[in-house]
Amino acid sequence: MTDGGIGQWLSGAMRETFGVILPTQCAGCGRPDDSFCAGCVAALDPHLLVWTVRGPGDDVEARLEVSAALDYAGVVRAALIAFKDGGRTGAARQLARPLQAAIDHRLALTRTGEPDAREVALQQVPSTRAALRRRGYDPVGLLLKKAGLRSMKLLRHRGGHTDQAGLGAKARWQNLHGSLVADRAAAGLDIILVDDILTTGATLLEARRALTAAGARVLGAATVAHTGRRASGGWNPG
Ligand SMILES: [Zn+2]
């Protein structure tokens, strides 16, 4: 076989392989298309909203501000479900866009009035080991990577707590308390938390609790989307 022959054979094989593994449906609406159709790409344009979350019993000072780029509904919801639980990792590129916008938004708000502020580190809410096993990838980590960003690795799950899905706000709160541990390397760092979906904010508040206990300062959080659901501790658009 000549060089050209091998090349042709390879590109043919690649086409065949890619024909099988490339998605043929839009991850947002399911219409035949590549990763996303134009309409769904437009639906992922960020519309930033700031939410304030705090735990039951926390005082006003303990509130945490969260920048969220999209409403978790319609195409956004379908795309995030396809990405997280449908194996559509190719959707990461488009979903990284609103996450980056939320992070930029939070950074801009956080730095207002603090011209000599220290550098801010990003810390994602880590996947549980069970979720990592089930998916084979870490959704938030993948979005950050697509955005050209990286999370610190300061948080880990202590283990032994049940999955949050299907629990109400108060039950989530009780279930989560003490579930995360932060590395001592967090001491002295200024941190912005990153997650995919803001539901009640309980996970973000637990992440902040763990990081604060390790000596970090959590300045706020950024998420791709928000569900707009109220938590018992109060969470309102700010
Ligand atoms: Zn679509």
Side-chain angles (χ1 to χ4, degrees):
M1 202 183 276
T2 64
D3 278 359
I6 291 170
Q8 269 170 20
W9 177 83
L10 270 180
S11 64
M14 299 270 278
R15 265 200 305 276
E16 236 183 275
T17 310
F18 279 25
V20 174
I21 64 164
L22 276 181
T24 52
Q25 284 185 319
C26 167
C29 66
R31 266 185 234 130
D33 211 308
D34 290 340
S35 179
F36 277 103
C37 72
C40 288
V41 166
L44 297 177
D45 286 346
H47 298 280
L48 285 148
L49 201 57
V50 176
W51 293 86
T52 303
V53 296
R54 61 188 168 89
D58 282 353
D59 60 24
V60 176
E61 290 301 307
R63 69 193 190 280
L64 178 73
E65 287 201 339
V66 187
S67 291
L70 298 165
D71 187 359
Y72 186 65
V75 164
V76 174
R77 184 171 176 276
L80 277 165
I81 290 172
F83 170 59
K84 288 179 70 178
D85 296 314
R88 294 292 299 267
T89 50
R93 197 169 61 87
Q94 286 301 334
L95 288 169
R97 215 162 37 93
L99 181 61
Q100 177 146 36
I103 292 169
D104 288 347
H105 188 252
R106 184 62 6 219
L107 275 171
L109 287 176
T110 300
R111 283 182 167 154
T112 307
E114 281 191 58
D116 57 347
R118 285 172 294 178
E119 200 175 324
V120 177
L122 299 178
Q123 174 61 57
Q124 71 169 94
V125 172
S127 287
T128 61
R129 229 173 270 186
L132 254 182
R133 256 200 314 272
R134 190 175 69 237
R135 297 189 176 111
Y137 60 97
D138 164 37
V140 179
L142 189 53
L143 293 182
L144 284 170
K145 193 175 166 194
K146 287 288 169 189
L149 300 168
R150 256 175 63 183
S151 169
M152 304 286 288
K153 290 187 165 61
L154 298 169
L155 288 176
R156 62 181 172 81
H157 288 271
R158 206 192 291 268
H161 72 288
T162 39
D163 201 318
Q164 291 291 93
L167 294 180
K170 198 156 191 182
R172 273 180 184 242
W173 180 257
Q174 286 160 349
N175 181 43
L176 274 182
H177 193 79
S179 65
L180 290 171
V181 191
D183 195 283
R184 282 173 185 220
L189 293 178
D190 281 351
I191 290 173
I192 286 185
L193 294 167
V194 181
D195 205 3
D196 45 17
I197 303 160
L198 172 65
T199 308
T200 63
T203 314
L204 290 171
L205 290 167
E206 169 58 12
R208 179 179 67 175
R209 186 206 57 76
L211 287 163
T212 306
R217 187 167 68 140
V218 175
L219 304 174
T223 65
V224 177
H226 62 86
T227 62
R229 199 193 300 173
R230 273 185 84 84
S232 61
W235 86 278
N236 304 292

